[in-house]
């Protein structure tokens, strides 16, 4: 069991290192770091659920609304945690529990969704990349293809 946990931590740290090389933004790097910290300090068994009922916690709605308003900006995990006054590690854990993905993945999905809408409207892929917050067109292309299975140019041509 201990060996598996060490291996999981090593894999998460390796993923964080790869993410830094790709530069998915502050939020992605911070999120992976927070997940590594969570693995290091988490107890052997998951504690009882922090949610008493099926309602979404208020801080999750605030975070989602903030990410929707700032989807095209570089958001740090610390900055996001400051918005709701929570510890960054707890924020990632509760967001992932509620939404099924960490905040950086949610922000990426928002960016891809907005990119699709802009491509449908006839905006060139290079311009779309800048408008939705990607570093450049190749960054958009890589993540768009990873998410949708096609490149932005192919998506635009197929409309």
């Amino acid at each position: 069991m201990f060996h598996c946990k060490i291996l999981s931590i090593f894999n998460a740290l390796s993923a964080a290192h790869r993410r830094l090389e790709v530069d998915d933004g502050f939020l992605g790097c911070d999120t992976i770091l927070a997940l590594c910290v969570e693995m290091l300090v988490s107890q052997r068994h998951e504690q009882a659920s922090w949610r008493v009922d099926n309602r979404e916690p208020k801080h999750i709605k605030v975070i989602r609304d903030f990410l929707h308003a700032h989807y095209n900006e570089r958001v740090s995990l610390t900055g996001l945690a400051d918005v709701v006054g929570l510890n960054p590690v707890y924020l990632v854990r509760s967001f992932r529990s509620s939404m099924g993905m960490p905040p950086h993945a949610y922000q990426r999905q928002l960016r891809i969704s907005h990119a699709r809408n802009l491509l449908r409207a006839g905006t060139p892929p290079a311009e779309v990349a800048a408008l939705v917050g990607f570093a450049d067109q190749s960054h958009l292309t890589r993540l768009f293809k990873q998410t949708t299975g096609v490149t932005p140019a192919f998506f635009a041509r197929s409309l």
Side-chain angles (χ1 to χ4, degrees), residues 125 136-146 150-153:
D136 52 29
Q137 186 176 352
S138 66
H139 190 204
L140 166 68
T141 300
R142 184 175 57 255
L143 294 177
F144 195 93
K145 186 171 182 178
Q146 206 175 49
V150 298
T151 65

Side-chain angles (χ1 to χ4, degrees), residues 33-97:
L33 181 60
L35 292 171
C36 292
V37 170
E38 176 190 343
M39 282 188 262
L40 287 169
V41 299
S42 67
Q43 296 179 1
R44 190 175 189 154
H45 301 287
E46 283 293 315
Q47 296 175 346
S49 176
W50 49 269
R51 206 176 341 170
V52 177
D53 55 21
N54 287 333
R55 290 182 302 175
E56 179 179 71
K58 183 179 179 185
H59 68 272
I60 299 298
K61 181 177 178 358
V62 171
I63 293 166
R64 278 191 310 108
D65 291 346
F66 183 86
L67 289 174
H68 279 268
H70 303 276
Y71 72 91
N72 60 344
E73 299 172 18
R74 291 185 77 159
V75 178
S76 71
L77 183 59
T78 306
L80 197 57
D82 288 345
V83 168
V84 290
L86 293 175
N87 176 292
V89 174
Y90 177 77
L91 182 147
V92 170
R93 188 177 197 174
S94 64
F95 192 90
R96 187 175 51 177
S97 176

Side-chain angles (χ1 to χ4, degrees), residues 101-158:
M101 66 182 76
H104 80 280
Y106 189 82
Q107 185 186 40
R108 184 184 308 147
Q109 293 296 327
L110 289 173
R111 287 178 175 179
I112 297 296
S113 175
H114 283 276
R116 283 183 185 147
N117 293 336
L118 289 170
L119 290 166
R120 282 186 191 110
T123 309
E127 199 175 317
V128 169
L131 290 172
V132 299
F134 288 111
D136 52 29
Q137 186 176 352
S138 66
H139 190 204
L140 166 68
T141 300
R142 184 175 57 255
L143 294 177
F144 195 93
K145 186 171 182 178
Q146 206 175 49
T147 304
T148 65
V150 298
T151 65
F154 183 84
F155 181 82
R157 280 192 309 266
S158 68

Side-chain angles (χ1 to χ4, degrees), residues 5-21:
K5 189 152 190 122
I6 294 296
L7 187 58
S8 295
I9 293 167
F10 176 77
N11 289 337
L13 288 171
S14 294
H17 185 266
R18 284 190 305 277
R19 174 119 16 230
L20 287 171
E21 291 174 350

